Amino acid sequence: QQQVKQSPQSLIVQKGGISIINCAYENTAFDYFPWYQQFPGKGPALLIAIRPDVSEKKEGRFTISFNKSAKQFSLHIMDSQPGDSATYFCAASRLSGGGADGLTFGKGTHLIIQP
Amino acid sequence: EAQVTQNPRYLITVTGKKLTVTCSQNMNHEYMSWYRQDPGLGLRQIYYSMNVEVTDKGDVPEGYKVSRKEKRNFPLILESPSPNQTSLYFCASSLWGGRAGEQFFGPGTRLTVL
């Protein structure tokens, strides 16, 4: 059972455009939603993360929008640049309560920014 | 430099030949984890460890073993590798004991089992 669904699988955006990647989750116990960026030949690296007590978090050109009632969150990349071309993973985990859950990842989005 | 290291980075082996992929972190993190990455499937957790001598299964543990004898090291062991274990493997660590939080990933180990 996939707990985090990510779309689209691949995305091509023109330089300067807005890239939007969407994720939906099922487990209402999730309370931490990070996005990871992965360049070819490298391990994923944390890009930006949000907790459900806010609806939006912005860091530079990257914004997470979070809709708790719809159980959805999305990554927006403004003024997309060729250097943003990478694979993006959304993820979710449970930071509160008992247990030691790991991150549950979406399947990834391969983003290409065309010059 | 704070980092997670993995060795080897590339490995080609044959079915049934035992192998170990090492993982080490220098950030004094309590939580360590192994993932495999396959096309179209994303990252799936194999095993994780909350602290020394504490390990537990993730989503896809079959065919793998781990150990955590020291805080900094978390080796992944394939006792009898099979072709379906051909994959890209990542080790990760997190400061928050018992919690995923921000995970720092190693550079990956590409394993091919013939």
Side-chain angles (χ1 to χ4, degrees):
Chain A
Q1 179 186 4
Q2 184 188 2
Q3 296 191 54
V4 179
K5 293 183 179 180
Q6 182 172 347
S7 63
Q9 264 191 313
S10 61
L11 180 62
I12 300 174
V13 175
Q14 296 296 315
K15 178 183 175 183
I18 303 174
S19 304
I20 301 174
I21 305 171
N22 300 300
C23 283
Y25 63 98
E26 299 167 3
N27 187 346
T28 55
F30 287 149
D31 58 5
Y32 175 70
F33 303 91
W35 285 88
Y36 280 78
Q37 181 187 54
Q38 184 183 28
F39 293 108
K42 304 290 186 183
L46 180 67
L47 182 64
I48 186 173
I50 197 169
R51 299 293 303 274
D53 51 343
V54 296
S55 60
E56 186 174 283
K57 183 174 181 180
K58 184 176 181 179
E59 290 185 1
R61 297 184 293 107
F62 300 90
T63 300
I64 299 179
S65 297
F66 184 78
N67 185 330
K68 188 174 181 179
S69 61
K71 293 188 288 186
Q72 295 175 346
F73 58 109
S74 60
L75 176 69
H76 292 64
I77 306 174
M78 311 301 287
D79 187 26
S80 299
Q81 299 297 311
D84 297 330
S85 297
T87 299
Y88 292 82
F89 293 96
C90 63
S93 73
R94 189 165 57 97
L95 292 186
S96 56
D101 301 340
L103 286 169
T104 298
F105 284 89
K107 293 186 176 182
T109 296
H110 184 51
L111 174 65
I112 297 173
I113 308 300
Q114 289 187 333
Chain B
E1 179 189 356
Q3 61 182 347
V4 178
T5 56
Q6 295 178 228
N7 283 292
R9 294 290 312 278
Y10 302 91
L11 180 59
I12 300 174
T13 189
V14 295
T15 299
K17 186 176 182 182
K18 181 179 179 180
L19 66 91
T20 299
V21 183
T22 64
C23 173
S24 182
Q25 51 93 5
N26 62 2
M27 295 169 279
N28 201 36
H29 285 172
E30 294 183 352
Y31 187 101
M32 296 187 74
S33 182
W34 275 101
Y35 295 87
R36 62 178 288 174
Q37 183 176 7
D38 301 289
L41 296 178
L43 289 147
R44 295 178 293 168
Q45 189 179 48
I46 303 171
Y47 268 94
Y48 64 90
S49 169
M50 293 170 57
N51 214 323
V52 176
E53 301 293 359
V54 181
T55 63
D56 210 343
K57 297 177 181 178
D59 298 320
V60 288
E62 292 76 21
Y64 304 95
K65 286 177 58 178
V66 293
S67 69
R68 189 91 180 273
K69 292 181 169 49
E70 305 167 280
K71 195 171 187 178
R72 63 184 292 127
N73 296 323
F74 190 44
L76 179 69
I77 304 158
L78 284 72
E79 299 231 327
S80 183
S82 62
N84 65 11
Q85 293 179 296
T86 293
S87 186
L88 179 58
Y89 291 86
F90 288 101
C91 180
S93 71
S94 172
L95 175 63
W96 301 354
R99 284 286 167 262
E102 176 181 0
Q103 295 208 9
F104 295 84
F105 284 79
T109 295
R110 185 166 293 281
L111 172 65
T112 301
V113 183
L114 302 175

